[in-house]
Amino acid sequence: MARARPKRAGAASVAKIETAAAPGTADAELRESERRFRRTFELAASGLAHIGLDRRFLRVNRRLCQMLGYSEAELVGKTGREMSHPDDTDVINAQRPHLHSGEIDALNVEKRYIRKDGSTVWVAVTMVVERDAGGRPEYEIAVFDDVTARKQAEAALRESEERFRAVVNSANEAIIVYDRELRIVGGNFAAERILGMPVAQLLGKPGFTSILPCVREDGSPLSPEDRPTRVTVRNNRPLTGYVLGVRQPSGAVTWLSVNTAFLRRPGEAAHYGVVSTIVDITAQRDAEQALRESEERFRQTFELAASGIAHVSLDGRFVRVNRSLCEIFGYPESELIGRSVKDISHPADRDVTDAQRARVRAGEIDSARFEKRYLRGDGGTVWVDLAIALVRAPDGTPRYEIALFDDITERKEAERALRESEARFRSLTQLSSDWYWEQDAGFGLKFMSGRMGERTGLDAAAFIGRKRWEQPALNLTEEDWARHRAQLERHEPFHDFEMQRPAAEGGSRWVSLAGEPLFDDDGRFAGYRGVGKDITERKRAEAELRRAHEDLERKAEELQRSNSELEQFAYVASHDLQEPLRMVSSYTQLVLRRYGDRLDGEAKEFMAYVVDGAARMKQLIEDLLAYSRVGTRGKQFKPVPVENAVRRAIGNLRAAIEEAGATVTYDALPTVAADDVQLAQLFQNLIGNALKFRAASVPRIHVSAAEKEDEWEFCVHDNGIGIEPQYFERIFMVFQQLHTKGEYPGTGIGLAICKKVVERHGGRIWVDSKPGEGSSFLFTLPKERDTGHG
């Protein structure tokens, strides 16, 4: 039978669902299918609903009622929008037109509904449209699955991940995550700070050690096989405290401590990645090094101190003593350790320190100082200047005393001797070869020992009561006396004040005075005291020396003129020899070209000797000419960057350097006042010498400079064959060669030219070498000098 038309819109569609398949008479099979559909609809684990085109529920199952907390009667006729969460009201409606138009076959959304009790439920909705034979929508079929638990788990997971990320990014340790292939897949903020680059630049890289220059603890480069992750996987064991360094552009090294661990899923033995934590331990290592250095300095200071040092326990026993204290007291360390300090104190001074020591321990004073006597191991007595201070724990509790002992026995003896000396002083002054004098605060002479008259023949009585400048001195002007008076008025000590006093019997005597100001106990100026000596014989000797020096200067000038003439002769001789030598060489070569085929083997050999001899003679003359020109054809000195001279020398020797496969390097070099051409020639000769006398290995030549007080010291070092010490002086002489021309060609003038150039510039040159270990040619040039000709 057809059902009555329901009151709600869409009821006809429901009727169609239930009766459309039963035309005419009831069919048992159709009824059974209908029964199974109803049972499936009602018992489905998912919420099911038929929804009319007006968006109201037409039919709902029991699970949907449970899901939304409403009864079937309350849900039928309602729209889903009425129960939607305010933020999800139109989630389905926004896509419904696309579903109805056939643009999409099914609608799949996740949205929230408000249950009857006010709670929220997350639902996954799948919706399709049932259409009539003409394809027009008739009603919607919707499947609802409660995904609240999943959504809560996802939210909890996100929250957990956020907490984890916050914890990781707030960590001071760098954290880097690697995948199974040991490529970086993640890192935290600390990694960016410690490694000095964004994590984005690390992603996909085979470890940060492949990007940054890393070194091992011994300073050698870190190889790919030494990377922490590779070591971890290779040994199948996590790393703890693996130390490596990252070399910064400045050359400094940032030291890192790396720990690693495998990433494994529960129940799986194989790892799917590696995580490493990195700590910057540079400051820790620096602190440890500083601590070691501090402890070493303390140990050395303690052991090597000139003063005796001891740590004394609170019960007054030696805990630690240094070598000086053992020497002061005359006991070995083993006999002092554990011994009471009072045991070796002098009986008369045993309790001298008690009162002050108590004040130090009470904190009333920081330290105390005493002079007291101790008994040495050999039975003698030693006077000691003793200072004590207390070492406290951080909470202020006293731990032990530090005591410094200085042996003042000699000073005490000196004080006693001084007292005795002062009693004998005036009589002893009469025995001195010099004389003693005193002046009052007004600079009047009030005492003069008798030796003055004996030594000089001058009348000492004539000077008593008078000021020094009131008697004539032949060598001093009024300006000289004014300067001396000003010095005395400033109460300054003076030395070697020389006066030429006229003698009564004729002639004069020279005297030299030294004096120091005197002050009373209140610090008031009381005059001067000093000594005088007769320097007449010394003055006469000085006059003779000046005359001899003048003679020497005249001879030096004559020698200089002679050397100049010799240099000019060498230049003229070597220059004039060039022309006939060129003629010999040219015509010899001409004979070989024209008549060479007529000469037999022996004649050709003789002609070759002539050509070779002429060539060597030409080179010898040219070197001799260069040697003679060092002093006569030099340029004016001017500021010259030494680096320019070295580069010029290297350029001139480029062909020889390339032929030898040599390496020539140099440090930063200063600027000096020099002849730029001769300076370049100097470096060219020294570098060329290193290229010539090279060993079997590849030549390595290095030029450096060291700053001294008044000069620069330059060094040209090579790894050549080296020189025996007995030849160090000989090699700088003209025509001196240590090898045959067949072994090492040359004229033996190159180093002589170097010596002459250096000496012209006011320096000196020498060699330091060992056979088979290379040579270092060193020379000096003054730091500052007037420019001009050398």
Side-chain angles (χ1 to χ4, degrees):
M1 289 181 63
R3 294 186 179 182
R5 184 181 183 87
K7 295 179 181 180
R8 294 192 305 275
S13 297
V14 177
K16 181 178 180 181
I17 294 170
E18 296 174 349
T19 62
T25 61
D27 182 88
E29 184 178 344
L30 183 58
R31 285 195 300 272
E32 178 61 23
S33 175
E34 175 70 14
R35 187 184 66 78
R36 286 196 302 270
F37 167 74
R38 286 180 179 278
R39 185 171 179 79
T40 301
F41 187 87
E42 290 300 329
L43 299 180
S46 299
L48 300 176
H50 294 164
I51 302 173
L53 297 181
D54 62 354
R55 302 179 182 176
R56 296 181 183 278
F57 290 111
L58 301 177
R59 185 177 184 181
V60 296
N61 71 346
R62 185 185 309 163
R63 176 62 184 137
L64 184 60
C65 294
Q66 294 171 349
M67 198 179 298
L68 298 179
Y70 291 93
S71 65
E72 180 180 0
E74 290 172 328
L75 279 180
V76 172
K78 273 183 176 291
T79 65
R81 196 173 192 278
E82 296 176 46
M83 295 173 290
S84 295
H85 190 279
D87 294 337
D88 297 347
T89 300
D90 294 317
V91 169
I92 294 177
N93 290 340
Q95 298 191 48
R96 260 191 173 105
H98 304 295
L99 180 66
H100 287 191
S101 66
E103 294 178 36
I104 57 177
D105 295 330
L107 181 152
N108 294 283
V109 297
E110 291 183 355
K111 62 172 291 184
R112 288 164 290 181
Y113 287 95
I114 304 299
R115 290 168 51 87
K116 185 178 179 178
D117 61 7
S119 61
T120 299
V121 60
W122 270 96
V123 176
V125 181
T126 300
M127 185 178 289
V128 296
V129 174
E130 183 68 22
R131 301 179 186 274
D132 60 16
R136 292 181 295 275
E138 288 187 312
Y139 61 92
E140 299 168 346
I141 300 174
V143 180
F144 299 82
D145 286 301
D146 186 347
V147 294
T148 303
R150 194 197 80 201
K151 284 291 187 179
Q152 289 174 344
E154 290 175 352
L157 179 60
R158 284 194 300 274
E159 183 179 348
S160 175
E161 289 177 345
E162 286 299 322
R163 284 197 303 270
F164 174 74
R165 187 175 294 107
V167 170
V168 168
N169 281 328
S170 64
N172 288 324
E173 295 181 351
I175 301 175
I176 296 180
V177 181
Y178 300 81
D179 62 14
R180 184 174 179 79
E181 284 70 36
L182 300 182
R183 292 187 296 265
I184 295 177
V185 295
N188 66 347
F189 295 153
E192 296 185 344
R193 170 175 54 80
I194 291 175
L195 299 180
M197 63 172 54
V199 169
Q201 293 184 16
L202 296 171
L203 297 180
K205 301 295 190 300
F208 67 89
T209 58
S210 67
I211 303 173
L212 301 173
C214 295
V215 297
R216 295 184 294 190
E217 285 195 274
D218 61 4
S220 61
L222 187 76
S223 69
E225 294 305 314
D226 290 334
R227 294 173 184 167
T229 51
R230 290 199 182 184
V231 174
T232 299
V233 173
R234 184 170 63 246
N235 297 339
N236 194 29
R237 187 173 60 197
L239 292 179
T240 301
Y242 186 93
V243 177
L244 58 84
V246 176
R247 192 173 297 283
Q248 304 297 334
S250 64
V253 175
T254 299
W255 291 101
L256 307 177
S257 176
V258 182
N259 297 337
T260 62
F262 289 107
L263 296 174
R264 293 186 174 93
R265 295 184 179 88
E268 295 183 4
H271 68 274
Y272 66 85
V274 174
V275 63
S276 67
T277 59
I278 305 169
V279 179
D280 185 343
I281 59 171
T282 306
Q284 175 187 331
R285 284 173 65 99
D286 290 346
E288 291 172 353
Q289 180 63 24
L291 178 60
R292 285 193 295 271
E293 292 175 357
S294 175
E295 290 175 345
E296 179 62 18
R297 285 195 299 271
F298 167 76
R299 187 190 65 79
Q300 291 185 358
T301 301
F302 187 89
E303 292 298 330
L304 302 179
S307 298
I309 305 176
H311 295 172
V312 180
S313 65
L314 298 181
D315 62 355
R317 298 183 179 276
F318 290 112
V319 176
R320 185 178 184 183
V321 296
N322 70 346
R323 184 186 310 163
S324 294
L325 187 64
C326 294
E327 293 173 354
I328 290 172
F329 288 153
Y331 288 96
E333 180 181 1
S334 59
E335 293 186 23
L336 282 180
I337 298 298
R339 190 167 192 164
S340 171
V341 179
K342 283 196 174 185
D343 284 352
I344 60 172
S345 295
H346 190 281
D349 296 347
R350 187 159 292 168
D351 300 322
V352 166
T353 64
D354 289 352
Q356 292 291 82
R357 222 179 207 109
R359 294 184 64 196
V360 171
R361 294 192 181 183
E364 297 177 21
I365 55 176
D366 293 330
S367 61
R369 199 175 194 97
F370 317 90
E371 290 184 357
K372 61 173 292 187
R373 288 165 291 181
Y374 288 89
L375 300 177
R376 286 176 48 85
D378 59 8
T381 299
V382 58
W383 271 98
V384 169
D385 182 357
L386 169 64
I388 61 170
L390 191 64
V391 175
R392 298 179 183 273
D395 62 357
T397 304
R399 294 184 58 194
Y400 59 88
E401 289 178 353
I402 294 180
L404 272 69
F405 301 79
D406 285 304
D407 185 347
I408 58 171
T409 306
E410 290 186 2
R411 193 195 80 194
K412 286 291 188 179
E413 290 295 326
E415 289 174 354
R416 181 187 59 78
L418 180 61
R419 288 191 296 272
E420 295 176 358
S421 175
E422 287 175 346
R424 299 189 301 268
F425 173 72
R426 291 187 182 276
S427 60
L428 291 176
T429 56
Q430 301 301 322
L431 302 176
S432 173
S433 60
D434 297 333
W435 60 88
Y436 175 80
W437 56 264
E438 292 180 0
Q439 284 176 300
D440 58 27
F443 310 124
L445 188 66
K446 64 179 185 180
F447 174 78
M448 180 96 71
S449 63
R451 295 293 288 173
M452 186 269 190
E454 296 174 10
R455 294 287 294 168
T456 66
L458 301 175
D459 183 8
F463 297 93
I464 298 298
R466 306 182 68 177
K467 298 178 177 59
R468 190 169 293 125
W469 46 87
E470 291 177 351
Q471 295 282 48
L474 303 180
N475 64 314
L476 299 177
T477 65
E478 286 300 323
E479 290 77 9
D480 296 329
W481 282 122
R483 283 192 293 272
H484 182 61
R485 287 196 300 270
Q487 187 176 20
L488 297 183
E489 288 166 357
R490 292 192 299 269
H491 305 157
E492 296 175 352
F494 63 90
H495 304 276
D496 301 323
F497 183 72
E498 297 179 353
M499 296 180 295
Q500 186 181 12
R501 295 291 197 186
E505 70 277 6
S508 63
R509 302 295 296 183
W510 280 89
V511 296
S512 175
L513 303 180
E516 62 178 8
L518 297 174
F519 299 91
D520 61 20
D521 294 339
D522 296 325
R524 290 188 295 269
F525 176 68
Y528 271 86
R529 68 182 173 191
V531 294
K533 65 172 60 178
D534 187 312
I535 59 171
T536 304
E537 294 303 321
R538 193 194 79 193
K539 283 294 185 179
R540 290 172 181 166
E542 288 176 355
E544 291 295 329
L545 183 60
R546 279 195 301 273
R547 285 193 292 271
H549 182 69
E550 290 169 357
D551 292 341
L552 185 60
E553 285 183 341
R554 284 195 298 273
K555 291 178 180 178
E557 290 175 359
E558 293 174 0
L559 180 60
Q560 185 175 359
R561 284 195 299 273
S562 175
N563 286 340
S564 177
E565 291 170 358
L566 285 174
E567 287 177 350
Q568 184 64 23
F569 170 76
Y571 169 74
V572 172
S574 58
H575 182 272
D576 291 348
L577 284 173
Q578 294 275 4
E579 183 58 32
L581 186 61
R582 277 195 296 270
M583 182 177 294
V584 170
S585 179
S586 297
Y587 278 99
T588 303
Q589 294 176 24
L590 184 61
V591 168
L592 278 175
R593 284 198 300 272
R594 289 190 179 182
Y595 306 107
D597 54 348
R598 303 179 190 179
L599 300 175
D600 58 19
E602 191 174 71
K604 288 181 179 180
E605 182 180 0
F606 293 163
M607 292 298 290
Y609 289 155
V610 173
V611 172
D612 179 64
R616 285 192 287 109
M617 177 63 78
K618 180 177 182 297
Q619 184 63 49
L620 183 62
I621 291 171
E622 288 176 351
D623 287 351
L624 182 60
L625 187 60
Y627 181 78
S628 69
R629 284 176 171 172
V630 170
T632 60
R633 298 295 181 91
K635 295 171 62 178
Q636 185 175 4
F637 290 167
K638 62 181 180 180
V640 176
V642 177
E643 186 175 322
N644 291 352
V646 173
R647 286 204 300 265
R648 183 173 177 183
I650 293 173
N652 293 342
L653 294 168
R654 186 171 305 280
I657 292 172
E658 292 176 353
E659 186 270 332
T663 300
V664 182
T665 58
Y666 51 88
D667 295 336
L669 300 172
T671 296
V672 299
D675 180 330
D676 58 342
V677 173
Q678 290 187 352
L679 191 59
Q681 181 184 18
L682 171 61
F683 281 108
Q684 182 173 330
N685 285 3
L686 292 176
I687 296 172
N689 220 44
L691 292 172
K692 181 192 298 185
F693 298 101
R694 61 180 181 266
S697 60
V698 176
R700 292 192 304 274
I701 304 165
H702 184 71
V703 181
S704 60
E707 186 175 8
K708 304 298 182 180
E709 183 176 358
D710 299 318
E711 61 190 9
W712 287 98
E713 182 179 291
F714 297 90
C715 176
V716 179
H717 177 75
D718 63 58
N719 62 341
I721 61 175
I723 305 169
E724 295 282 357
Q726 62 265 33
Y727 301 121
F728 284 179
E729 295 295 330
R730 176 180 165 186
I731 59 175
F732 292 104
M733 299 170 64
V734 179
F735 304 132
Q736 295 300 312
Q737 291 180 281
L738 305 184
H739 306 276
T740 66
K741 293 180 175 59
E743 292 178 301
Y744 298 98
T747 61
I749 297 180
L751 289 179
I753 291 175
C754 293
K755 184 174 186 291
K756 198 167 185 181
V757 168
V758 170
E759 290 177 348
R760 180 185 174 232
H761 285 72
R764 62 192 190 285
I765 187 169
W766 68 97
V767 66
D768 184 13
S769 179
K770 288 184 179 179
E773 297 183 12
S775 302
S776 293
F777 282 86
L778 303 101
F779 64 91
T780 62
L781 294 178
K783 272 188 180 178
E784 297 179 0
R785 62 183 299 161
D786 296 334
T787 56
H789 290 289

